[in-house]
């Protein structure tokens, strides 16, 4: 996106991903995060917002600018993979596959509970104040809520992936005000936003102790979950809990209404196949599906298909020296059970995310041809992944995108 774009245009569903960082940067009353049913959580801006705050928001918005070379330029960065793997998946200082040693966390977590185990280790062994993350809103289970957790019980209460809108950066003020450093867990775009915010808010930079992320193709809107519930005749009015996966690997989309027992509705990958079709256009323009700017990223090891017996495990990727130290510390302290993994397992496990990353180059080309805005990415090679795509996928990402934009009228400025 051009830096001259007005901040009021950032909620444009073609670009904004609802990370919530503008809510953190803005003064009280400047920004309200609202859930647009068919798009996702997006900021609503006050008519009295100052020009200074506008500039500050533009400076941190990840859909305006994101520096993907930040971690690779650090003096203490020591890659353990070749350049092609690094280009595809970001900075990598270590790769393991493993799971939470705690059996309950492993079972309830989405893919072995590795992120939860790492967060617990940081709280109990490294004197972190809390963990900023999102989870089910107990008062409205179809939606998510940003929260700060302080112990194992609170982490377990919201364990598991959420395939619906979340805006963890709207809680960065809690991190900045904390007495000690905190863990921040977010989607790739939320971690990118946190990195941007840390550059302009030294007080925040001091309190972000470590950033954790997960392999993610970005989230569908609330409408997607509502549609899936309707498919099974699940009423929203007396919904008590909604889980997308976990409780085994890969887990089930489950619901509980009123005093009824939990009902397993659909196995995870079938539920995701349904939900992902609702993702708004902005999600197809964001290239990072593996948390390239986090200290640690975790994701499903899909190179091995679930057999119904394995309670779950993760690929664990440390991107910084800090991330590597924390993973190794969690293993030594018994929070993680993990062993070093071969780099090929990332690509084999996440072929769809790499295909999406390459396709973003073609979609951005279509935007340029039609005079539409694009995010400015620094030190991010999208052409190489695009060039490696099959011809059919290349054409879909370029000609197919042009057709889609014209048919839907997305080329018009909102």
């Amino acid at each position: 996106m051009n830096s001259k774009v007005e901040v009021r245009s950032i909620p444009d569903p073609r670009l904004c991903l609802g990370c919530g960082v503008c809510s953190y940067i803005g003064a009280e009353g400047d920004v309200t995060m609202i859930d647009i049913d068919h798009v996702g959580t997006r900021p609503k801006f006050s008519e009295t917002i100052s020009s200074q705050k506008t500039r500050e928001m533009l400076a941190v918005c990840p859909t305006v600018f994101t520096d993907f070379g930040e971690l690779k330029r650090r003096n203490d960065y020591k890659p353990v993979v070749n350049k092609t793997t690094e280009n595809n998946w970001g900075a990598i200082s270590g790769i393991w596959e493993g799971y939470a040693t705690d059996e309950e966390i492993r079972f309830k977590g989405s893919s072995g509970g590795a992120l939860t185990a790492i967060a617990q280790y940081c709280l109990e062994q490294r004197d972190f104040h809390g963990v900023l993350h999102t989870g089910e809103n107990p008062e409205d289970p179809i939606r998510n809520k940003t929260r700060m957790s302080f112990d194992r019980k609170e982490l377990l209460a919201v364990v598991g992936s959420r395939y619906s809108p979340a805006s963890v950066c709207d809680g960065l003020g809690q991190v900045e005000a904390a007495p000690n450093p905190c863990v921040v867990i977010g989607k790739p775009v939320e971690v990118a936003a946190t990195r941007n915010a840390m550059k302009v808010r030294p007080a925040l930079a001091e309190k972000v102790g470590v950033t954790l992320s997960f392999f993610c193709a970005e989230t569908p809107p609330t409408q997607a979950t509502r549609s899936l519930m309707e498919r099974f005749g699940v009423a929203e009015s007396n919904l008590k809990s909604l889980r997308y996966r976990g409780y085994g690997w890969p887990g089930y989309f489950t619901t509980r209404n009123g005093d009824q027992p939990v009902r397993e509705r659909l196995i995870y990958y079938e539920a995701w196949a349904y939900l992902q079709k609702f993702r708004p256009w902005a999600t197809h323009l964001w290239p990072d599906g593996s948390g390239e700017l986090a200290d640690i990223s975790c994701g499903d090891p899909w190179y091995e298909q679930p057999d119904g017996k394995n309670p779950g495990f993760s690929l664990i990727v440390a991107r910084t020296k800090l991330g590597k130290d924390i993973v190794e510390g969690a293993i030594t302290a018994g929070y993680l059970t993990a062993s070093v993994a071969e780099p090929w397992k990332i690509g084999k496990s996440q072929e769809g995310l790499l295909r999406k990353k390459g396709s973003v180059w073609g979609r951005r080309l279509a935007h340029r041809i039609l005079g539409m805005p694009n995010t400015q990415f620094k030190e991010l090679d999208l052409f190489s992944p695009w060039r490696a795509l099959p011809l059919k996928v290349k054409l879909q990402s370029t000609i197919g995108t042009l057709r889609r934009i014209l048919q839907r009228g997305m080329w018009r400025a909102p």
Side-chain angles (χ1 to χ4, degrees):
M1 183 189 290
N2 191 299
S3 62
K4 296 180 181 179
V5 173
E6 289 293 329
V7 74
R8 288 183 182 82
S9 74
I10 292 176
D12 176 351
R14 299 174 301 180
L15 293 169
C16 179
L17 288 167
C19 69
V21 72
C22 53
S23 175
Y24 160 67
I25 290 293
E28 185 176 355
D30 279 349
V31 182
T32 303
M33 299 302 295
I34 60 174
D35 186 7
I36 303 173
D37 196 61
H38 67 289
V39 177
T41 304
R42 297 294 183 263
K44 180 179 179 181
F45 296 93
S46 166
E47 293 298 323
T48 59
I49 189 171
S50 71
S51 58
Q52 175 62 31
K53 283 299 178 184
T54 296
R55 289 191 293 271
E56 291 178 12
M57 290 177 186
L58 285 168
V60 300
C61 177
T63 63
V64 171
F65 172 80
T66 295
D67 180 1
F68 280 99
E70 179 179 346
L71 303 187
K72 299 174 189 176
R73 293 194 303 269
R74 292 186 177 183
N75 292 332
D76 60 359
Y77 172 55
K78 296 180 180 179
V80 296
V81 295
N82 60 34
K83 285 295 182 182
T84 299
T85 301
E86 186 182 70
N87 186 70
N88 289 342
W89 303 106
I92 299 178
S93 298
I95 310 171
W96 300 260
E97 53 186 333
Y99 48 85
T101 306
D102 184 313
E103 293 183 2
E104 185 178 11
I105 291 176
R106 183 185 184 186
F107 176 70
K108 291 183 176 180
S110 293
S111 51
L115 278 178
T116 303
I118 293 168
Q120 183 188 5
Y121 164 74
C122 288
L123 289 176
E124 296 179 355
Q125 302 297 326
R126 296 182 73 101
D127 198 29
F128 279 54
H129 172 69
V131 178
L132 184 73
H133 58 152
T134 58
E136 178 186 274
N137 184 341
E139 298 176 359
D140 188 5
I142 200 171
R143 291 185 170 84
N144 297 319
K145 182 179 181 180
T146 303
R147 69 198 63 221
M148 186 78 81
S149 292
F150 300 100
D151 55 33
R152 177 184 180 276
K153 181 180 179 180
E154 292 181 347
L155 289 172
L156 265 174
V158 290
V159 70
S161 298
R162 301 287 295 174
Y163 299 101
S164 55
S167 304
V168 77
C169 293
D170 65 6
L172 288 176
Q174 299 178 61
V175 175
E176 182 178 330
N180 290 318
C182 297
V183 178
V184 176
I185 304 178
K187 301 189 303 292
V189 71
E190 293 168 332
V191 171
T194 300
R195 293 286 184 198
N196 284 351
M198 289 167 66
K199 294 184 181 73
V200 301
R201 290 283 180 91
L204 175 67
E206 290 179 4
K207 296 300 175 60
V208 175
V210 65
T211 55
L212 309 182
S213 192
F214 39 89
F215 291 15
C216 169
E218 290 302 321
T219 54
T222 302
Q223 182 187 60
T225 299
R226 282 204 172 100
S227 178
L228 188 54
M229 288 169 58
E230 290 171 2
R231 176 177 168 183
F232 292 99
V234 178
E236 186 177 345
S237 57
N238 65 342
L239 186 69
K240 297 301 182 182
S241 70
L242 185 150
R243 191 170 66 240
Y244 292 89
R245 57 178 306 193
Y247 286 65
W249 187 57
Y252 285 80
F253 175 75
T254 69
T255 60
R256 183 173 66 84
N257 288 75
D259 297 328
Q260 299 176 6
V262 173
R263 296 284 301 277
E264 292 182 348
R265 303 292 182 177
L266 203 63
I267 196 165
Y268 157 71
Y269 36 75
E270 293 180 7
W272 169 246
Y274 184 91
L275 294 166
Q276 63 88 21
K277 293 182 292 185
F278 291 79
R279 288 177 299 158
W281 182 240
T283 66
H284 300 286
L285 296 171
W286 181 256
D288 178 15
S290 62
E292 293 187 30
L293 292 173
D295 291 294
I296 302 167
S297 302
C298 293
D300 287 284
W302 294 124
Y303 74 89
E304 179 176 314
Q305 291 301 308
D307 59 7
K309 300 176 182 178
N310 187 333
F313 67 119
S314 291
L315 286 174
I316 305 164
V317 180
R319 303 190 177 281
T320 62
K321 182 180 183 300
L322 171 65
K324 184 178 182 181
D325 290 346
I326 286 177
V327 172
E328 291 176 341
I331 294 171
T332 300
Y335 287 80
L336 280 177
T337 299
S339 57
V340 174
E342 301 90 338
W344 65 263
K345 291 181 177 178
I346 302 177
K348 185 67 174 176
S349 298
Q350 303 293 338
E351 293 173 344
L353 291 180
L354 184 57
R355 184 166 58 249
K356 180 197 173 198
K357 185 176 184 177
S359 295
V360 168
W361 186 89
R363 293 167 188 152
R364 286 165 61 86
L365 175 62
H367 268 227
R368 288 196 295 271
I369 291 171
L370 295 174
M372 296 169 65
N374 274 321
T375 303
Q376 181 184 353
F377 296 129
K378 182 178 179 180
E379 294 186 29
L380 180 67
D381 175 13
L382 294 174
F383 182 68
S384 294
W386 181 84
R387 187 173 55 186
L389 294 173
L391 177 60
K392 181 180 179 180
V393 181
K394 286 191 180 84
L395 293 174
Q396 288 172 340
S397 74
T398 50
I399 297 174
T401 296
L402 285 168
R403 183 185 301 115
R404 184 178 183 180
I405 290 172
L406 292 171
Q407 288 176 342
R408 299 185 181 185
M410 291 190 294
W411 55 273
R412 299 187 186 94

